[in-house]
Amino acid sequence: MEHYNCAHCDTSLAGKRYVLRLDQPTCLPCYDSKFADACEACAKPIGTDFKDLSYKGRHWHEQCFNCWNCKASLANQQFVGKDEGLYCPDCYDNLFAQRCDKCNKTFKHGQQKFEYNGKRFHSPCFLCFFCQKPIGNNNFVPRDDDALCCMICYNEKFARKCGKCHDVLNHGGVTFKDEAFHRECFLCTKCNTELAHIKFATKNDIPYCPDCYVKQFSKVCMKCERPIAGLGTAMKYVGFEDKQWHADCFSCTVCNKNLVTQGFLIANGDIACPDCARTM
């Protein structure tokens, strides 16, 4: 041991503390002056007699490892790095954390945050404007002035409702006379046939399917007893007093001669050409 010397200053290390660095014995003064890291706070070497606290390649004495704002010790405590500075959680939140656009309080680490239209809210601050209940992760509808409306309030106050069943119209529907209906609720007044995908007719603002409309309201030919006009079609017909005929059906009862644009007579309730009428 009398020949065991410091590799840098050749001082004998017999009976002395030393540091073995890269397999070379180094006395404490040489280690402190040549190899010890400088403290980020006080710029003094962090010698072997001090605890070295490091973060991202930077070093501090234990007593120098403090919050840059409040100077509280960060040794054995949680901290947050921001740019070149180190901060305790409270100082970091007060200085840098985002704030709720309603209560103006900061968001704590790990605290749930909701964002809408460029604004941020705590969960208890993200409320329906009408019922004042938290919206959370549920659907909502924005109203005027960024007022948010939960779906329950929207359905109660603003959603269009079916004119028949009065339930909310969630997916399309049929509009008739400024009133909305579910497709399955928009029915023929007479037979309840669904009208959403077919042509329909109205009478006094009441909807009917084609068959019911014809049966209810079309004129009936006195000869064939069929409707004179179907829905969406036009037929020539002849009317006399309270009776009607298809143009093709307006013929002499005896000789079957068509009498459209011809003279005719009524004999025993039937129509006839003048020649046949004399024989009846």
Side-chain angles (χ1 to χ4, degrees):
M1 288 299 296
E2 62 269 18
H3 300 293
Y4 193 64
N5 299 334
C6 173
H8 301 280
C9 67
D10 205 36
T11 299
S12 175
L13 299 178
K16 299 179 181 179
R17 295 168 57 210
Y18 66 93
V19 177
L20 190 62
R21 183 179 184 277
L22 300 178
D23 294 330
Q24 292 183 333
T26 304
C27 66
L28 299 187
C30 284
Y31 181 84
D32 289 347
S33 62
K34 295 178 181 295
F35 306 113
D37 294 307
C39 175
E40 289 282 336
C42 68
K44 295 179 180 179
I46 305 175
T48 53
D49 291 331
F50 298 94
K51 183 181 289 188
D52 184 342
L53 302 182
S54 64
Y55 173 71
K56 291 188 175 180
R58 302 160 67 197
H59 300 265
W60 290 265
H61 294 102
E62 182 177 15
Q63 66 271 20
C64 296
F65 194 61
N66 301 325
C67 172
W68 281 33
N69 185 59
C70 69
K71 307 306 178 184
S73 174
L74 300 179
N76 301 316
Q77 304 294 327
Q78 290 184 339
F79 65 91
V80 183
K82 171 70 174 176
D83 298 328
E84 295 297 319
L86 302 179
Y87 302 89
C88 65
D90 288 340
C91 286
Y92 179 84
D93 288 343
N94 290 331
L95 292 173
F96 307 110
Q98 294 176 338
R99 294 181 178 272
C100 174
D101 283 287
K102 183 169 185 179
C103 69
N104 201 38
K105 294 181 179 178
T106 59
F107 292 98
K108 301 296 184 182
H109 181 69
Q111 194 172 24
Q112 191 173 24
K113 175 173 59 178
F114 293 91
E115 297 189 18
Y116 170 69
N117 203 19
K119 296 182 179 180
R120 303 169 181 85
F121 304 89
H122 294 108
S123 179
C125 297
F126 192 56
L127 306 175
C128 170
F129 177 81
F130 299 94
C131 67
Q132 291 298 299
K133 293 181 180 178
I135 294 174
N137 293 316
N138 298 317
N139 293 330
F140 63 90
V141 179
R143 302 294 297 172
D144 296 336
D145 299 325
D146 289 336
L148 306 182
C149 183
C150 69
M151 294 308 300
I152 294 176
C153 289
Y154 179 80
N155 289 338
E156 290 178 352
K157 300 177 182 296
F158 307 108
R160 295 196 75 179
K161 296 180 174 62
C162 177
K164 182 176 178 66
C165 70
H166 305 295
D167 287 340
V168 174
L169 284 162
N170 291 320
H171 304 288
V174 177
T175 301
F176 176 70
K177 298 296 181 182
D178 296 327
E179 194 170 14
F181 299 86
H182 293 110
R183 293 180 179 273
E184 61 271 20
C185 292
F186 187 57
L187 308 174
C188 171
T189 304
K190 191 70 175 176
C191 69
N192 288 331
T193 297
E194 289 190 18
L195 302 178
H197 302 290
I198 63 173
K199 292 182 178 181
F200 62 92
T202 62
K203 182 73 171 181
N204 298 325
D205 291 340
I206 298 174
Y208 296 89
C209 70
D211 290 341
C212 289
Y213 181 85
V214 169
K215 291 176 182 178
Q216 289 286 110
F217 306 110
S218 292
K219 298 176 175 64
V220 177
C221 177
M222 294 298 297
K223 183 175 183 180
C224 68
E225 298 183 350
R226 289 182 299 173
I228 289 177
L231 186 63
T233 63
M235 296 182 181
K236 293 182 178 181
Y237 72 96
V238 177
F240 177 74
E241 295 181 346
D242 59 346
K243 299 178 178 63
Q244 295 85 28
W245 294 263
H246 291 109
D248 293 340
C249 294
F250 191 64
S251 57
C252 175
T253 304
V254 179
C255 69
N256 206 33
K257 176 184 177 182
N258 190 276
L259 301 177
V260 175
T261 71
Q262 305 294 320
F264 66 92
L265 297 172
I266 301 294
N268 299 324
D270 297 323
I271 58 172
C273 64
D275 292 339
C276 292
R278 296 189 187 97
T279 64
M280 296 176 65

